[in-house]
Amino acid sequence: MKFVDRNGNEITAGMYLRFADGSIEKVYVCSDGYDGETLGINASNEAYMQVNGLDEYYREFYPLSNFNMNEVEICEPELQQTDDLRMSSL
């Protein structure tokens, strides 16, 4: 399945997306539940995975098909870090 952001740009694995709430998520290839592949974002609790020594095999995803792609745009990952730094200085 092909996904495009609100500007019509094709989304591929490894890109970062900014959602309507301002959150930024990395795009992964994941299972579509029917022996195929689709794109999704991380749904796993990172702290839980680290504490329990779980690797990428145990990562869970929210498929992009669950989201309104008219509210999503491709962005750079540095923007999240910049926003985090700006917020922590307030």
Side-chain angles (χ1 to χ4, degrees):
M1 178 176 248
K2 180 179 173 180
F3 293 96
V4 295
D5 72 355
R6 69 181 186 182
N7 300 312
N9 300 311
E10 184 176 1
I11 299 169
T12 59
M15 291 181 162
Y16 288 83
L17 302 177
R18 179 180 291 116
F19 288 80
D21 67 357
S23 64
I24 296 176
E25 300 287 342
K26 184 175 181 179
V27 178
Y28 297 87
V29 173
C30 58
S31 171
D32 67 1
Y34 300 100
D35 294 328
E37 292 182 339
T38 190
L39 297 176
I41 60 171
N42 184 24
S44 297
N45 179 318
E46 293 300 319
Y48 177 86
M49 288 184 67
Q50 288 178 351
V51 166
N52 291 287
L54 301 175
D55 62 14
E56 292 298 310
Y57 176 80
Y58 295 97
R59 184 171 302 285
E60 295 179 349
F61 301 95
Y62 296 122
L64 290 186
S65 59
N66 288 359
F67 300 94
N68 179 351
M69 300 313 290
N70 291 324
E71 299 177 355
V72 175
E73 69 180 331
I74 297 169
C75 69
E76 296 296 323
E78 296 83 24
L79 295 176
Q80 182 177 19
Q81 295 168 1
T82 302
D83 289 345
D84 290 348
L85 290 174
R86 196 174 352 184
M87 294 302 287
S88 66
S89 65
L90 295 177

